[in-house]
Amino acid sequence: MARERRYSGMLWFLLWGAIVMLLTLVADCLYVMWPYPHGALGVEAFQLQARREWGFLVELCGTRLPPLAGAIHQGLYTVLFRWPGFDYMIARAGDSGPMDAGGEMMHKAVVNCSELWGAALVGLQLFSARLAVLLISVPLLALASLAASADGLTGWYRRRTGGGRESGFVYHRAKRHAGHALLGMVLLFLVIPMHIDPRPVITASAVLLIVAIRVAAASFKKYL
């Protein structure tokens, strides 16, 4: 039987980072262009919602959010729009001057996909703000993980000294579910384009993370 291939380390983060960003773009485009009963919402409605959520997040997180979200947005915009030349295409398409054949083709491509570009630009702003909220929450998650690890290791020590049964199966599954708890939080909060209060999402993920880390630490065994 072929062994299941699993990604780990930095490759795992890069792979899921690309998947999350792609899913976010798809969700944003569906939100903007989906033919609802009364017609597509459009980029303007998405911009209005993004501004409202930005105000809510700033009120919730305070002055730490704007500089962090701005730095994230600048970095992502540079990588995703400036380096491939998409920002030049969008700016060039807005010029009213004469164009050559290539410029005219580019102008038509940008104009015909204007809703897509608009959804991507607004979605990147919303994505950056939400990612900043998650980064601000890292100390809370780290503290919760540390407390769960300490409690779990106490249980592990008592089990080892008391001759309790070891379970490598439980350890490896619990360790994997800790990553799943974080991934679920990221997917739920970053991908969905509608307004989401981050507090219940982060709290629920923190609880699942604590349980998974506590069980993994208490049943620690290197080998199955």
Side-chain angles (χ1 to χ4, degrees), residues 38-122:
H38 301 289
L41 296 178
V43 177
E44 292 77 11
F46 194 25
Q47 287 176 329
L48 179 61
Q49 182 209 293
R51 284 195 295 268
R52 289 175 177 172
E53 180 157 343
W54 171 255
F56 172 78
L57 294 179
V58 170
E59 182 179 355
L60 183 64
C61 299
T63 57
R64 297 175 296 170
L65 183 64
L68 180 58
I72 293 173
H73 179 267
Q74 184 64 31
L76 291 177
Y77 183 85
T78 299
V79 173
L80 300 176
F81 284 88
R82 188 163 295 152
W83 287 356
F86 294 142
D87 62 334
Y88 171 77
M89 290 174 55
I90 296 172
R92 187 73 178 90
D95 293 345
S96 57
M99 300 182 182
D100 54 17
E104 187 64 30
M105 184 180 301
M106 180 181 65
H107 173 79
K108 290 181 179 179
V110 173
V111 170
N112 292 334
C113 300
S114 59
E115 293 290 308
L116 173 63
W117 294 116
L121 290 171
V122 178

Side-chain angles (χ1 to χ4, degrees), residues 147-186:
S149 299
D151 186 59
L153 289 175
T154 301
W156 172 82
Y157 178 77
R158 293 177 62 183
R159 176 179 55 79
R160 291 280 292 181
T161 56
R165 181 184 177 186
E166 295 182 337
S167 177
F169 177 85
V170 174
Y171 163 69
H172 286 284
R173 296 314 183 273
K175 184 178 68 171
R176 192 177 306 165
H177 289 322
H180 293 164
L182 293 176
L183 182 60
M185 175 184 65
V186 170

Side-chain angles (χ1 to χ4, degrees), residues 54 57 65 69 124-134 189:
W54 171 255
L57 294 179
L65 183 64
L124 183 61
Q125 296 174 355
L126 186 60
F127 182 90
S128 301
R130 290 179 172 181
L131 183 57
V133 172
L134 293 182
F189 188 51

Side-chain angles (χ1 to χ4, degrees), residues 188 196-206:
L188 182 62
I196 298 178
D197 189 338
R199 290 171 291 187
V201 176
I202 294 174
T203 301
S205 299

